[in-house]
Amino acid sequence: MTLRFSVLASGSTGNAFYIETEQERLLVDAGLSGKQLDRLFQEIKIDPSNLSSILVTHEHSDHIKGLGVFARKYKLPIYANAKTWQAMEKSIGNLSVDQKFHFNLEEIKTFGDIDVESFGVSHDAAEPMFYTFHHQGKKVALVTDLGYVSERIKKIVESADAYIFEANHDVGMLRMGRYPWNVKRRILGDSGHISNEDCGLALADIVDNNTQRIYLAHLSLDNNMRDLARMSVNNVLQERGISLELMDTYHDKPTALFEVS
């Protein structure tokens, strides 16, 4: 087996990502209730009692809602950076000392046969970071909750075999939508979320012949639609002569397990 993964859930109502090899089974974020997470794992026929660890990206509730409950139920170690631990500890409840580990920003940590690289992103959290996963020459990049995509991030995530990449909103829908202006300004700002078009522009700079699939993630329920996101990102890529399979993600159901070949 090479790398296999599923986007268990993605969006402002909750985020969770699962990735595995023969040796390791990692969960990134637990932004749904413990009961919902159990259901999502059941749908992809994975027993969460076999998980190795949970990695955390940042402390926003749509990424840690079920973290404490799930970690206690399955006695799982949690990895996060120091500022994220400080920001989320009151929200996740008591954990034993042997469940709390540090994973620093800009660090590469090995979990069994997966090397995981963390990198910082511009988002309005304590110290938000996301991950690339490396196994037997294969690379999967998880990149959401971005205010903007810096050249540094592009360099870290370039040439991945698969991307889970944020396409949060359509700018026109957001500007015309029901959100108050201060929320719109936050989303559009450098510490908010990136649009469909910005997603396409970033991907055009980083994909290459290795790239097999792109999953469009963290779509807003109010300010985006899956068909619109796919069309907008695809238009930008096609303008650059790039043709790639764009996959949907969902806020309430997992994507099928995909094996990076």
Side-chain angles (χ1 to χ4, degrees):
M1 186 196 298
T2 57
L3 282 177
R4 292 205 310 169
F5 66 83
S6 167
V7 183
L8 296 173
S10 185
S12 56
T13 57
N15 296 273
F17 174 72
Y18 171 72
I19 188 163
E20 69 172 18
T21 63
E22 282 188 9
Q23 289 184 27
E24 285 294 308
R25 295 187 167 190
L26 302 176
L27 174 63
V28 182
D29 290 339
L32 302 94
S33 72
K35 188 177 290 187
Q36 287 173 302
L37 287 165
D38 279 337
R39 176 183 62 80
L40 294 168
F41 274 111
Q42 189 174 15
E43 287 192 34
I44 61 168
K45 296 180 171 56
I46 296 294
D47 183 351
S49 66
N50 292 326
L51 286 169
S52 312
S53 305
I54 305 176
L55 314 184
V56 180
T57 62
H58 62 293
E59 77 277 7
H60 287 169
S61 62
D62 59 321
H63 293 261
I64 66 161
K65 181 180 179 181
L67 178 62
V69 169
F70 204 71
R72 282 187 289 274
K73 180 177 180 179
Y74 293 108
K75 298 179 174 56
L76 293 168
I78 299 172
Y79 290 80
N81 64 51
K83 289 183 180 178
T84 299
W85 269 117
Q86 189 175 9
M88 73 179 181
E89 267 191 298
K90 289 180 180 176
S91 302
I92 63 175
N94 292 326
L95 293 164
S96 63
V97 174
D98 61 357
Q99 287 181 280
K100 298 163 72 172
F101 294 89
H102 282 149
F103 192 159
N104 297 323
L105 194 65
E106 317 293 345
E107 181 181 8
I108 298 173
K109 194 175 283 289
T110 299
F111 296 84
D113 56 354
I114 305 178
D115 292 327
V116 184
E117 180 178 7
S118 67
F119 58 93
V121 298
S122 172
H123 191 57
D124 55 356
E127 193 165 71
M129 66 184 193
F130 280 78
Y131 304 99
T132 60
F133 303 87
H134 304 261
H135 171 73
Q136 295 183 355
K138 301 300 181 184
K139 177 178 177 180
V140 174
L142 176 64
V143 197
T144 72
D145 295 76
L146 295 155
Y148 66 97
V149 189
S150 67
E151 293 303 314
R152 178 185 58 84
I153 290 174
K154 288 179 186 176
K155 194 70 182 169
I156 292 167
V157 304
E158 67 184 359
S159 305
D161 295 88
Y163 289 95
I164 301 85
F165 211 95
E166 179 172 55
N168 177 256
H169 59 273
D170 173 79
V171 173
M173 284 183 70
L174 176 61
R175 289 187 183 278
M176 297 295 290
R178 63 181 178 86
Y179 287 7
W181 177 243
N182 66 312
V183 177
K184 294 178 182 180
R185 189 167 56 208
R186 171 195 168 259
I187 293 169
L188 291 165
D190 282 350
S191 58
H193 294 279
I194 65 166
S195 68
N196 297 335
E197 185 175 1
D198 285 343
C199 169
L201 290 169
L203 286 167
D205 287 342
I206 60 179
V207 299
D208 67 7
N209 292 334
N210 292 324
T211 307
Q212 299 168 35
R213 271 191 185 181
I214 298 165
Y215 290 76
L216 301 182
H218 217 303
L219 272 67
S220 168
L221 291 175
D222 292 293
N223 303 305
N224 212 349
M225 296 179 289
R226 281 189 287 272
D227 288 348
L228 177 59
R230 235 183 297 111
M231 182 184 72
S232 301
V233 174
N234 198 42
N235 285 345
V236 175
L237 293 176
Q238 286 188 341
E239 285 173 5
R240 302 281 191 93
I242 300 167
S243 179
L244 278 167
E245 189 172 13
L246 301 179
M247 307 296 295
D248 292 331
T249 61
Y250 309 91
H251 70 278
D252 58 353
K253 67 177 182 179
T255 63
L257 276 167
F258 174 66
E259 184 165 334
V260 182
S261 59

